[in-house]
């Protein structure tokens, strides 16, 4: 699933040879499954190890960014609140697919700042720039 | 030298398991250095010794064990994901987690990706 192998470093090296870090792709709505929460845990651990991580939200995944969601009726802890800690973890690259928002008639009013809404072309270009990714989708 | 890390997020009864094992084995035979396999989400179920899959279906744990013995492949299962699925059971953990697997934190995934030139997910 992943792109170019361009490595000549010895395997004992702890040096990060993937400068663009890890891309995490979120394609699932927030509360009907654990995908979003599991993706968040990966993002935060990479952040806490000072590894670069970028988050990509596409398809139903864009719902994870939408403000004013209420989980009190669902008996689910609202993990989306933790997105506010991204800055603390130096997670600076959060991308939303514009087409996915439009298809779902969602306004780009997000519960965190600094979400970049990208066209399909820009979105795939941003993703293409990254060597490693991990998908949280079916 | 090409280095590979593998993430398994699908359960042992997923048809992707056979693909994952074949991929890993082919990579090893080709001389690619596999830094490790990380089992996350439903993938944590692979480590459960007691999962019993019908004999005419793909025997996931048998093949992981085989690869581990033949190539010393590090097989890391995420502790949180495993706990959530009953694979870690306090004092009984040793009876549940297959001996080929190591219980690790998510930090291990960071380690593996930092050592690998390629990450493949099944």
């Amino acid at each position: 699933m992943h792109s170019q192998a361009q490595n000549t470093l010895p395997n004992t090296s702890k040096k990060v040879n993937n400068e663009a870090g890890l891309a995490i792709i979120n394609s699932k709505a927030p509360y009907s499954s654990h995908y979003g929460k599991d993706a968040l845990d990966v993002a935060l651990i990479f952040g806490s190890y000072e590894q670069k991580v970028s988050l990509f939200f596409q398809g139903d995944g864009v719902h994870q960014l939408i403000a004013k969601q209420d989980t009190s009726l669902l008996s689910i802890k609202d993990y989306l609140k933790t997105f506010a800690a991204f800055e603390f973890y130096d997670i600076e690259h959060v991308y939303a697919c514009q087409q996915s928002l439009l298809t779902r008639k969602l306004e780009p009013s997000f519960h965190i700042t600094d979400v970049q809404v990208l066209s399909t072309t820009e979105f795939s270009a941003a993703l293409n720039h990254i060597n490693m990714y991990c998908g949280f989708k079916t | 030298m090409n280095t590979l890390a593998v993430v398994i997020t699908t359960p042992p009864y997923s048809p992707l398991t056979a693909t994952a094992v074949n991929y890993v084995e082919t990579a090893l035979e080709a001389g690619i250095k596999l830094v490790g396999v990380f089992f996350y989400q439903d993938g944590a179920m692979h480590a459960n010794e007691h999962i019993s899959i019908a004999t005419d279906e793909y025997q996931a744990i048998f093949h992981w064990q085989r690869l581990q013995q033949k190539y010393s492949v590090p097989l890391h299962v995420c502790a949180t994901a495993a706990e959530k699925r009953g694979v870690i059971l306090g004092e009984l953990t040793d009876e549940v987690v297959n001996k080929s697997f190591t219980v690790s934190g998510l930090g291990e995934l960071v380690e593996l990706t930092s050592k690998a030139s390629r990450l493949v997910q099944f």
Side-chain angles (χ1 to χ4, degrees):
Chain A
M1 271 190 248
H2 305 262
S3 54
Q4 320 103 318
Q6 24 99 299
N7 170 44
T8 49
L9 290 171
N11 57 61
T12 47
S13 172
K14 290 274 166 87
K15 191 170 168 244
V16 179
N17 50 13
N18 297 281
E19 281 175 24
L22 179 78
I24 294 177
I25 304 165
N26 287 284
S27 315
K28 294 288 238 176
Y31 305 121
S32 55
S33 72
H34 283 285
Y35 285 90
K37 172 66 166 64
D38 291 343
L40 173 68
D41 287 345
V42 172
L44 297 184
I45 203 90
F46 272 75
S48 59
Y49 277 76
E50 295 175 357
Q51 303 287 306
K52 266 194 170 179
V53 60
S54 306
L55 302 180
F56 291 80
F57 294 87
Q58 63 174 23
D60 282 341
V62 293
H63 284 283
Q64 294 186 37
L65 296 168
I66 302 302
K68 293 178 185 160
Q69 304 198 57
D70 181 6
T71 58
S72 59
L73 291 172
L74 298 170
S75 304
I76 293 174
K77 187 183 165 194
D78 187 3
Y79 74 92
L80 297 183
K81 284 203 173 87
T82 314
F83 281 27
F86 284 169
E87 203 182 334
F88 178 76
Y89 285 89
D90 292 324
I91 299 171
E92 292 161 350
H93 302 289
V94 181
Y95 305 109
C97 169
Q98 188 174 44
Q99 189 57 47
S100 302
L101 291 165
L102 288 171
T103 309
R104 288 161 185 78
K105 297 189 165 50
L106 294 169
E107 294 293 326
S109 76
F110 306 123
H111 60 89
I112 48 168
T113 51
D114 301 328
V115 176
Q116 296 181 59
V117 178
L118 303 180
S119 71
T120 315
T121 318
E122 292 166 332
F123 193 88
S124 62
L127 198 49
N128 239 328
H129 175 64
I130 301 174
N131 196 28
M132 267 189 189
Y133 66 90
C134 202
F136 290 87
K137 53 207 171 94
T138 45
Chain B
M1 189 185 197
N2 285 326
T3 49
L4 172 71
V6 173
V7 178
I8 307 283
T9 48
T10 46
Y13 43 82
S14 160
L16 287 176
T17 303
T19 312
V21 169
N22 289 342
Y23 184 91
V24 164
E25 193 155 20
T26 307
L28 289 164
E29 282 168 1
I32 290 167
K33 168 78 182 166
L34 179 67
V35 292
V37 183
F38 191 82
F39 295 82
Y40 188 49
Q41 295 191 291
D42 282 349
M45 286 193 262
H46 285 263
N48 189 335
E49 174 99 344
H50 300 283
I51 286 212
S52 180
I53 293 173
T55 50
D56 59 347
E57 290 176 34
Y58 194 77
Q59 299 299 311
I61 205 158
F62 168 81
H63 289 285
W64 288 123
Q65 249 178 310
R66 187 174 60 73
L67 289 185
Q68 206 277 332
Q69 283 161 9
K70 192 170 173 190
Y71 298 98
S72 305
V73 178
L75 304 174
H76 298 279
V77 57
C78 172
T80 316
E83 269 177 343
K84 198 181 269 189
R85 291 166 179 84
V87 183
I88 292 182
L89 274 176
E91 290 173 359
L92 294 173
T93 300
D94 284 350
E95 291 171 32
V96 183
V97 177
N98 182 276
K99 302 224 172 352
S100 303
F101 291 78
T102 310
V103 177
S104 303
L106 261 182
E108 191 61 44
L109 178 62
V110 182
E111 279 285 312
L112 294 182
T113 56
S114 71
K115 288 179 196 160
S117 57
R118 187 180 289 213
L119 175 68
V120 179
Q121 181 182 11
F122 293 95

